[in-house]
Amino acid sequence: MEQYKIKKMSFKYNMNNKETLKDIDLTVNKGDFVTIFGKSGSGKSTLLSLLKPQIAPVGVLKGDILFEGKKLEDIDKKDSVLKIGFVFQDPEAQCVTDKVYHELAFGLESLGVDSKTIKLRVSEVSDFFHIDELFYKDINKISGGQKQLINLASIMVMKPEVIILDEPTSQVSPIIAREFLNTLGMINREFGTTIILSEHRLFDVIKFSNKLVLMDEGRIIESSDVDTVCKKLYKTEYFELLPEVVKISLTETEGKIVAHDIVECKNVIKKNKIVEKKQIKDEGDIVKLKDIWFKYKDVDVLRDLTIDIKKNRITSIIGQNGSGKSTLLLLISDIIKNYRGKKSKAFNKALMLPQNVKTLFTKDTVKLEFDGVSGKDEVIKLFELEDLFDKHPFDLSGGEQQKVAIAKLLLNKPDLLLLDEPTKAMDAIFKKKFGDKLKDIAQSGVTVVLVTHDIDFAASISDYMALMFNGEIITSNTTDEFLNGNMFYNTIRNRLI
Amino acid sequence: MQKDEFYKMHPVVNIAYFIVAILLTICFLHPVIIFISFVFATLYLMYNKVNLHIVSFLIMLICVILINPLVNHQGVTTLFYMFSGNPITLESILYGVFAGFMIISVILWFNCYMVIVTSDKFIYLFSKISKKLSLMFSMILRFVPLLVGRLKECYNYQKLVTKNKLKVVTNAFYMTSSWALENAIITSKSLKARGYELKHRSSFNMYKFSTRDKVMLLVIILLFCVLCFFYVNEMLYIRYFPSIVINTQVIGILASVLLFSLPFLVNLYYFLMYKFGGNKWSSIR
């Protein structure tokens, strides 16, 4: 049975001249797991929010959106609250109340359900999500990933027929993101709840999805089952958006076979290829840390840490959440001081890109951010920022915000650039371009140190890599040497060969 | 906090108790009552392992004790005259001492209140008055720490890129406010998406008004009535000015001991029940 049927729909925001969505035709059946992907700014979010009447943006809508055979605007308000659940991108802002259990109960409170029934539903759902430990906690005291799980749970409490999720994992770390998406798969399989999801992390969802939708510039480019879409994208500009296993298997078999996981991919891959090693020129160290200890609130965050950062090279530091990676960046940039150990530095100016780049924007438009600074033309050209000039920095996509923020930092002429999770919320095509930009920056004589969860990205751009565990650098080496032999901390490509 | 039995009681019982305890401490001004109230408030805070801030209490106490005789010259027993010619009287000194202890006892009871009546209990009680307002209160409790955290974050990062101290502060404020607006839009969408605009909202709570809550409430009301009776009939009475007159009744004292030690007794009762209540199963650990 059809859950949603979208017929020749187009949509234009009141402020814009161009149509944001054009000729959208899409059918979603009951129990489908639909994954929408595409570059940032391709209209995914607009499409998704149009599917929920309460949050539909204001503008001119042509064509029809049918929900269970009825026009969306004709549906009873209570029904559309109950049946259509929506999870937003920002885990923080969509939490409303101060306690976890209150957050879970919120939807049912609005519907006027009595306390006894709410208690039953809330406990049921907490058990399913394994969040009973969080139940009585303050929302402010749990992590971003947990918040997003709570947000999903607070929707599930209402027993929705459809859950719509707008890039729910873009703000959380990959391991928690995978857990989240697995839970989503489980909901789909076990309750037959229809899932409509937009996501960059395709690898974690292709095993659940029975429909992939590619969007670009407000149009649906492809919409079919996983294999068909992937095969069609072989040798197109969108190929980069596909997950690594799919890319490898398609390339190996020249577009014939789509592997969904590592096992399938291993079967199609041809035997051992010799990868040539990169030659890296050593220009000395810019920062030397030896036996560093750092304490925060009486807890050792960095312990016995030793690392040398090579000049004019890109170094990536990977590791789990809470292993002290961000603290290490703060220490390198001299914001915090170690209480034990030796630190020697040879840089003039170190600048750090915070994890939350919004904290760097102070003006109303991108153009004003760059006003009156010398040498801006060069940087603006390097990062292709002219198109963004009239927008408010908060209106940019996550990737664009990163670009503007780094450009802003570069204008201060640092010779050491520290980046904290720069690829968060970037689509694959953008990520690749961004990596090339970082390489250019390093070429021009700026040392780059980045902290990331994204091993594939780190491996593709860095000269050196280091693994951090519990406040300690476990190993630090050239990228090739580093990846040689790691089991978990390795790229998918290396795991296959 | 988990182990306190009084905490686990229904919020109505909690709040009723504190209203009665604080009210009686203020009204009586009777040395014995104040002493009992003071002792049990302190003990109860210690039982819940709350920091007592002894130094600041001492300073406050000394201030009240010193200031009262300086400004209050009533009373018949003049001890000596100040240089300005005003008398210092025994009555006003004693009044100062007891009033000081009374104020501190009240503050201690308020501390107990903060420990026992947590924000979620308060929100529950408030939701009986207005559901929307209590929801709003809950949202504020969520939003304020978030806002403060963001302000700190912005401030820290602005310090990295801007040298000018004033600019750091103004930038941080500017950014936090624009972020808060941005945040509010998403929050309001999330509210709408989950049916905030629908009529007939209910308010979820996990409190059950059980028999022991009824009994407890009854006991509190009963003790309150007894003590009120003593108060009205001046059987448990003190007059400071012009000369000290004091009436004390043993039954009244007993009633007040019972009242002020009530949270303790509850804990003691359940401790004994837990220890010796016929638990036949001994745990392996």
Side-chain angles (χ1 to χ4, degrees):
Chain A
M1 211 187 128
E2 281 162 2
Q3 191 94 57
Y4 272 109
K5 192 166 178 68
I6 304 170
K7 284 190 289 194
K8 292 215 182 59
M9 191 260 282
S10 63
F11 179 79
K12 188 173 85 69
Y13 281 101
N14 281 339
M15 309 284 276
N16 284 11
N17 301 323
K18 274 198 303 187
E19 284 180 325
T20 311
L21 295 173
K22 279 164 270 179
D23 305 324
I24 303 285
D25 273 295
L26 185 67
T27 310
V28 178
N29 289 324
K30 274 196 172 164
D32 270 1
F33 193 120
V34 182
T35 306
I36 303 178
F37 69 111
K39 290 187 249 180
S40 307
S42 56
K44 299 185 299 264
S45 295
T46 311
L47 175 61
L48 290 180
S49 50
L50 279 169
L51 299 180
K52 169 108 181 159
Q54 278 80 14
I55 55 162
V58 182
V60 186
L61 180 82
K62 284 178 202 151
D64 284 328
I65 305 176
L66 301 180
F67 179 75
E68 294 180 343
K70 269 197 251 170
K71 272 194 178 181
L72 205 56
E73 58 262 33
D74 297 338
I75 294 176
D76 181 43
K77 254 191 177 175
K78 200 169 172 178
D79 263 4
S80 58
V81 167
L82 200 66
K83 287 184 177 172
I84 309 170
F86 200 100
V87 177
F88 298 81
Q89 184 171 356
D90 188 344
E92 197 86 65
Q94 57 178 313
C95 293
V96 175
T97 60
D98 64 327
K99 296 272 184 207
V100 170
Y101 70 83
H102 199 178
E103 190 67 30
L104 293 176
F106 181 78
L108 292 177
E109 277 184 348
S110 310
L111 295 164
V113 180
D114 62 295
S115 270
K116 213 176 162 191
T117 321
I118 295 183
K119 197 168 182 180
L120 170 66
R121 294 260 199 101
V122 163
S123 339
E124 237 186 350
V125 167
S126 318
D127 265 355
F128 181 79
F129 281 85
H130 299 299
I131 47 175
D132 30 341
E133 276 176 18
L134 306 176
F135 202 67
Y136 292 99
K137 283 201 172 147
D138 279 356
I139 294 269
N140 289 326
K141 294 208 173 105
I142 63 177
S143 75
Q146 287 171 329
K147 270 180 206 145
Q148 202 61 305
L149 213 57
I150 299 292
N151 289 324
L152 180 59
S154 70
I155 299 296
M156 274 310 284
V157 167
M158 294 197 268
K159 292 190 193 161
E161 310 238 327
V162 196
I163 304 178
I164 303 166
L165 306 99
D166 185 8
E167 294 186 19
T169 64
S170 65
Q171 310 281 326
V172 305
S173 78
I175 291 156
I176 296 166
R178 179 170 301 160
E179 225 169 87
F180 181 87
L181 295 170
N182 283 340
T183 312
L184 207 58
M186 209 150 81
I187 290 172
N188 175 249
R189 294 274 156 89
E190 290 187 21
F191 305 114
T193 313
T194 314
I195 308 278
I196 305 173
L197 163 83
S198 76
E199 181 60 63
H200 288 314
R201 232 182 287 267
L202 278 188
F203 178 62
D204 293 323
V205 285
I206 48 167
K207 53 180 178 281
F208 304 119
S209 312
N210 61 347
K211 196 164 196 176
L212 278 187
V213 178
L214 169 64
M215 284 187 72
D216 196 18
E217 289 174 349
R219 285 174 202 278
I220 290 183
I221 308 288
E222 293 292 344
S223 154
S224 188
D225 61 298
V226 176
D227 286 16
T228 323
V229 170
C230 290
K231 277 179 195 161
K232 270 192 186 159
L233 294 185
Y234 181 55
K235 282 189 173 161
T236 61
E237 54 173 316
Y238 306 110
F239 187 62
E240 195 60 43
L241 293 169
L242 297 175
E244 199 70 24
V245 279
V246 175
K247 277 195 284 184
I248 293 170
S249 59
L250 278 175
T251 322
E252 288 284 325
T253 59
E254 284 168 356
K256 283 193 194 97
I257 296 173
V258 178
H260 291 206
D261 53 32
I262 299 265
V263 181
E264 285 177 34
C265 197
K266 255 187 180 156
N267 292 335
V268 296
I269 205 161
K270 284 165 204 137
K271 278 280 166 269
N272 295 336
K273 274 196 216 158
I274 297 150
V275 190
E276 56 179 297
K277 281 198 174 160
K278 242 191 330 190
Q279 285 300 315
I280 299 167
K281 211 165 75 191
D282 194 346
E283 291 180 38
D285 300 327
I286 195 161
V287 177
K288 277 168 104 69
L289 301 178
K290 197 164 185 305
D291 308 334
I292 295 282
W293 290 73
F294 175 77
K295 238 193 267 191
Y296 180 70
K297 284 187 180 161
D298 268 349
V299 178
D300 283 318
V301 187
L302 303 178
R303 42 187 117 197
D304 209 4
L305 179 141
T306 304
I307 189 173
D308 299 334
I309 309 282
K310 300 279 184 228
K311 204 173 178 181
N312 299 345
R313 296 287 165 266
I314 302 177
T315 307
S316 297
I317 297 162
I318 57 174
Q320 266 279 14
N321 260 5
S323 58
K325 302 190 302 274
S326 302
T327 315
L328 177 59
L329 287 192
L330 289 171
L331 188 100
I332 293 174
S333 62
D334 258 354
I335 296 162
I336 54 173
K337 299 264 184 277
N338 49 308
Y339 74 96
R340 235 179 96 183
K342 211 176 145 223
K343 174 180 168 186
S344 52
K345 51 178 186 179
F347 59 81
N348 296 319
K349 192 168 191 176
L351 283 179
M352 183 169 148
L353 183 77
Q355 211 173 98
N356 194 342
V357 289
K358 279 183 187 169
T359 54
L360 288 177
F361 301 133
T362 51
K363 300 282 160 38
D364 285 337
T365 62
V366 175
K367 189 162 185 267
L368 289 173
E369 296 274 356
F370 291 102
D371 256 6
V373 191
S374 59
K376 61 177 174 177
D377 299 331
E378 210 177 307
V379 176
I380 289 165
K381 217 171 146 191
L382 178 69
F383 279 100
E384 299 157 12
L385 297 177
E386 286 93 344
D387 301 342
L388 311 175
F389 259 24
D390 296 327
K391 288 190 180 165
H392 192 283
F394 280 18
D395 288 338
L396 304 176
S397 74
E400 288 167 342
Q401 284 180 352
Q402 294 281 353
K403 261 198 334 191
V404 175
I406 294 181
K408 238 190 123 176
L409 291 186
L410 280 178
L411 284 179
N412 286 312
K413 304 237 177 331
D415 53 356
L416 176 60
L417 194 59
L418 306 157
L419 311 173
D420 198 348
E421 298 281 357
T423 57
K424 229 178 185 181
M426 279 189 193
D427 64 66
I429 293 175
F430 194 95
K431 213 191 277 182
K432 198 163 184 202
K433 273 192 206 157
F434 179 75
D436 293 340
K437 294 278 179 308
L438 282 186
K439 282 187 197 161
D440 290 347
I441 295 171
Q443 288 268 301
S444 68
V446 178
T447 312
V448 179
V449 178
L450 63 133
V451 150
T452 183
H453 284 293
D454 193 336
I455 295 164
D456 288 286
F457 176 74
S460 71
I461 66 154
S462 35
D463 304 303
Y464 293 90
M465 280 174 86
L467 172 66
M468 206 162 170
F469 176 76
N470 262 348
E472 207 180 329
I473 294 281
I474 303 295
T475 158
S476 152
N477 217 324
T478 59
T479 304
D480 296 323
E481 288 295 327
F482 177 86
L483 294 175
N484 187 13
N486 276 356
M487 187 166 150
F488 298 106
Y489 284 108
N490 214 330
T491 58
I492 289 171
R493 200 172 284 270
N494 272 352
R495 266 187 252 172
L496 288 166
I497 301 166
Chain B
M1 200 64 266
Q2 279 295 319
K3 63 173 195 187
D4 193 296
E5 289 295 332
F6 185 60
Y7 173 81
K8 291 181 205 160
M9 288 191 164
H10 197 269
V12 169
V13 177
N14 293 154
I15 206 143
Y17 179 75
F18 286 115
I19 290 173
V20 168
I22 290 168
L23 205 66
L24 290 179
T25 313
I26 294 173
C27 289
F28 272 112
L29 254 184
H30 192 288
V32 182
I33 304 270
I34 288 168
F35 177 73
I36 294 165
S37 167
F38 176 77
V39 166
F40 281 109
T42 315
L43 285 177
Y44 193 51
L45 280 178
M46 278 160 71
Y47 178 72
N48 278 307
K49 298 193 177 73
V50 180
N51 190 0
L52 280 173
H53 306 292
I54 294 170
V55 177
S56 51
F57 279 140
L58 270 179
I59 293 171
M60 203 191 289
L61 187 65
I62 291 166
C63 283
V64 177
I65 292 174
L66 285 181
I67 289 169
N68 190 60
L70 294 180
V71 293
N72 187 346
H73 308 296
Q74 297 177 53
V76 288
T77 324
T78 307
L79 294 178
F80 58 89
Y81 288 92
M82 280 190 303
F83 54 88
S84 61
N86 281 323
I88 296 288
T89 63
L90 179 69
E91 284 82 6
S92 73
I93 287 177
L94 285 176
Y95 183 79
V97 170
F98 295 126
F101 269 101
M102 183 270 281
I103 290 169
I104 283 167
S105 308
V106 169
I107 293 170
L108 288 174
W109 280 117
F110 267 111
N111 274 352
C112 295
Y113 168 87
M114 299 289 262
V115 175
I116 300 297
V117 184
T118 43
S119 63
D120 40 338
K121 284 186 179 176
F122 182 77
I123 286 167
Y124 162 72
L125 291 167
F126 209 70
S127 73
K128 296 286 163 204
I129 303 166
S130 162
K131 282 168 192 157
K132 288 229 160 151
L133 273 180
S134 89
L135 175 65
M136 196 133 58
F137 186 70
S138 165
M139 286 169 72
I140 291 167
L141 279 181
R142 149 123 184 90
F143 191 66
V144 170
L146 198 65
L147 198 68
V148 173
R150 180 55 66 106
L151 189 63
K152 275 185 196 155
E153 200 184 333
C154 288
Y155 178 75
N156 279 339
Y157 283 119
Q158 275 300 308
K159 268 198 295 195
L160 306 186
V161 283
T162 321
K163 286 261 152 54
N164 186 340
K165 196 102 198 229
L166 185 70
K167 227 176 166 183
V168 170
V169 176
T170 50
N171 277 349
F173 269 101
Y174 171 82
M175 275 160 12
T176 312
S177 55
S178 52
W179 166 83
L181 289 174
E182 187 79 10
N183 202 68
I185 292 169
I186 301 171
T187 310
S188 68
K189 274 188 187 173
S190 169
L191 275 169
K192 268 173 117 183
R194 288 189 280 164
Y196 176 69
E197 291 173 319
L198 295 176
K199 278 170 193 164
H200 314 296
R201 61 177 308 108
S202 65
S203 184
F204 173 56
N205 69 77
M206 286 179 297
Y207 306 108
K208 229 173 17 185
F209 200 71
S210 60
T211 320
R212 79 163 184 180
D213 295 315
K214 283 176 203 158
V215 172
M216 186 75 173
L217 195 60
L218 212 66
V219 170
I220 293 170
I221 292 169
L222 210 69
L223 288 172
F224 181 64
C225 290
V226 169
L227 287 164
C228 275
F229 175 77
F230 280 98
Y231 181 70
V232 173
N233 290 319
E234 300 191 347
M235 289 155 91
L236 206 61
Y237 173 76
I238 184 164
R239 193 192 71 183
Y240 287 94
F241 306 109
S243 62
I244 292 177
V245 174
I246 189 160
N247 287 338
T248 315
Q249 283 270 340
V250 180
I251 301 169
I253 300 292
L254 282 180
S256 72
V257 168
L258 202 59
L259 181 80
F260 287 118
S261 65
L262 212 49
F264 254 145
L265 293 180
V266 171
N267 277 307
L268 185 69
Y269 173 73
Y270 284 106
F271 174 75
L272 294 176
M273 282 301 278
Y274 175 71
K275 266 274 188 265
F276 310 108
N279 235 341
K280 295 217 171 58
W281 198 265
S282 67
S283 81
I284 296 160
R285 272 181 290 177

